[in-house]
């Protein structure tokens, strides 16, 4: 399936880190800010629910703070990946690399 530019979609092209099944971090299409997004349902098989923006962060410092506040059950490996993001969202350049928690072991996925 082709990735798209709809922030509310499961296949949004600019997802950076999947923190757990209902939380992820994406980057805005113009790379101006990171988006902390929450999925409205866990029913992943039927593709119900949408992703909604809960926080908007320009700096990675604010992003890490907000993620720790909002997502206490985030995968520890995904949280460590946030430490490697640039200081400002505007410094992020494609291709993005996505951290995807699969089972109990996170896997790094190249999104080229």
């Amino acid at each position: 399936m082709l990735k798209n530019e709809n922030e509310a979609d499961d296949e949004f092209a600019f997802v950076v880190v999947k923190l757990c099944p209902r939380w992820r971090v994406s980057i805005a299409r113009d790379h101006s800010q990171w988006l902390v997004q929450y999925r409205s349902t866990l029913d992943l098989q039927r593709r119900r629910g949408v992703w909604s923006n809960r926080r908007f962060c320009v700096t990675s410092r604010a992003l890490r703070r907000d993620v720790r506040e909002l997502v206490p059950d985030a995968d520890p490996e995904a949280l460590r990946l946030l430490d490697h993001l640039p200081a400002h969202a505007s410094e992020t350049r494609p291709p993005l690399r996505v951290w995807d928690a699969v089972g109990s072991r996170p896997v790094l996925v190249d999104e080229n």
Side-chain angles (χ1 to χ4, degrees):
M1 176 179 278
L2 292 176
K3 299 284 185 168
N4 68 52
E5 295 189 5
N6 180 353
E7 292 174 359
D9 194 84
D10 285 333
E11 301 299 325
F12 180 47
F14 300 102
V15 175
V16 177
V17 180
K18 294 180 181 178
L19 302 167
C20 62
R22 291 181 81 169
W23 288 93
R24 71 184 184 188
V25 172
S26 299
I27 187 137
R29 290 181 293 274
D30 65 358
H31 290 99
S32 63
Q33 59 193 347
W34 283 290
L35 315 169
V36 181
Q37 298 182 303
Y38 177 77
R39 194 171 200 286
S40 62
T41 181
L42 274 175
D43 190 353
L44 302 176
Q45 282 72 26
R46 295 187 186 143
R47 309 233 327 135
R48 292 183 181 161
V50 294
W51 292 92
S52 61
N53 297 323
R54 294 298 174 97
R55 297 281 171 89
F56 304 89
C57 304
V58 174
T59 67
S60 59
R61 183 177 184 183
L63 175 65
R64 289 189 302 273
R65 178 200 63 218
D66 287 354
V67 164
R68 284 185 173 88
E69 175 187 327
L70 292 170
V71 194
D73 59 338
D75 185 293
E77 294 298 321
L79 290 176
R80 280 194 277 283
L81 184 67
L82 296 179
D83 294 334
H84 297 284
L85 293 174
H88 293 87
S90 61
E91 298 169 358
T92 304
R93 297 288 178 257
L96 297 176
R97 295 183 64 80
V98 177
W99 188 268
D100 187 7
V102 177
S104 62
R105 185 168 189 273
V107 178
L108 194 62
V109 179
D110 192 348
E111 288 292 311
N112 279 336

